[in-house]
Amino acid sequence: MKGNVSIRAGLSFGGIMGLFFALLFGITAGQKDGLHGLLLGILLGLAAGLLSGVLFGLFMDFFSMAQTKKFESLRSQMAMKYRIVFESGANHFMNKESVGGWLFLTSEVLLFKSHQFNIQNHELSIPMNIIKSVTPCKVLNFATGLKIEKTDGEWEKFVVNNNNEWAAKINELIVKCEQKENSMCM
């Protein structure tokens, strides 16, 4: 199932790359060999783009599986301390870099841990009691973003799959946290 998603994403990416390569190769070959070169360049460009897109999709699927496996030890450590509510691969925006890693949601904390293939490796821990709101958002016109507003007015931004599900789960925990704090005050 996951491979099919990667292939479909790869075909979409490949279609865009195919059009780019078709124009590039078609115009170049057309200038040299006329109409025959133009048609041949367009066909070769489309084929190269689709192939590269599918290969890219498969590579990303393999990379995702490898990262999932690498974060198993962290998952085990987290599970000893917290009950993990939700988790997935994610990117955290830090100083204009989209840092790849893994995002964990527990009833106490939202934790991001970067993988080693980043310039800015880091860990970010946001206690649930300082999260004011969570909003799904678009990042580069894709509805995969997640904006976390903290009580101090600062924001954190992530890219995740299923951003609506992430927002719903975090907002549910925010409400539980607020109810718990209010019951302690009475």
Side-chain angles (χ1 to χ4, degrees), residues 2-177:
K2 192 173 182 181
N4 289 339
V5 171
S6 297
I7 291 172
R8 278 189 301 217
L11 285 172
S12 299
F13 176 73
I16 293 167
M17 292 305 295
L19 291 174
F20 171 76
F21 286 136
L23 287 172
L24 180 69
F25 294 166
I27 291 170
T28 304
Q31 288 176 340
K32 184 178 176 189
D33 298 327
L35 184 59
H36 177 71
L38 176 69
L39 293 175
L40 184 62
I42 288 172
L43 288 174
L44 287 174
L46 285 172
L50 285 173
L51 179 63
S52 66
V54 170
L55 291 175
F56 179 76
L58 291 172
F59 171 77
M60 291 308 294
D61 195 37
F62 172 76
F63 180 76
S64 177
M65 287 188 296
Q67 291 306 309
T68 300
K69 194 170 198 121
K70 283 185 179 181
F71 280 99
E72 282 179 10
S73 63
L74 179 59
R75 182 180 304 108
S76 297
Q77 291 172 6
M78 291 281 296
M80 284 190 263
K81 190 173 181 181
Y82 303 108
R83 184 181 69 80
I84 298 171
V85 175
F86 202 53
E87 64 173 294
S88 74
N91 285 20
H92 174 237
F93 286 94
M94 183 176 176
N95 301 326
K96 298 183 182 179
E97 180 188 356
S98 180
V99 179
W102 207 259
L103 188 62
F104 292 94
L105 174 63
T106 73
S107 55
E108 294 86 16
V109 68
L110 182 67
L111 176 77
F112 174 80
K113 174 87 170 134
S114 63
H115 56 66
Q116 74 245 20
F117 300 111
N118 296 294
I119 295 169
Q120 300 182 76
N121 288 322
H122 70 284
E123 187 174 301
L124 173 69
S125 180
I126 309 171
M128 290 306 298
N129 63 352
I130 69 164
I131 297 177
K132 182 177 179 180
S133 68
V134 180
T135 310
C137 63
K138 286 187 175 185
V139 176
L140 299 175
N141 256 355
F142 295 100
T144 58
L146 195 63
K147 279 175 59 174
I148 311 283
E149 182 183 9
K150 298 188 285 187
T151 54
D152 63 4
E154 290 187 21
W155 292 83
E156 300 293 342
K157 200 171 197 179
F158 297 91
V159 173
V160 293
N161 287 326
N162 306 314
N163 65 339
N164 289 319
E165 188 174 1
W166 269 101
K169 288 187 183 293
I170 295 170
N171 282 320
E172 182 180 308
L173 288 173
I174 291 171
V175 169
K176 284 181 182 178
C177 187

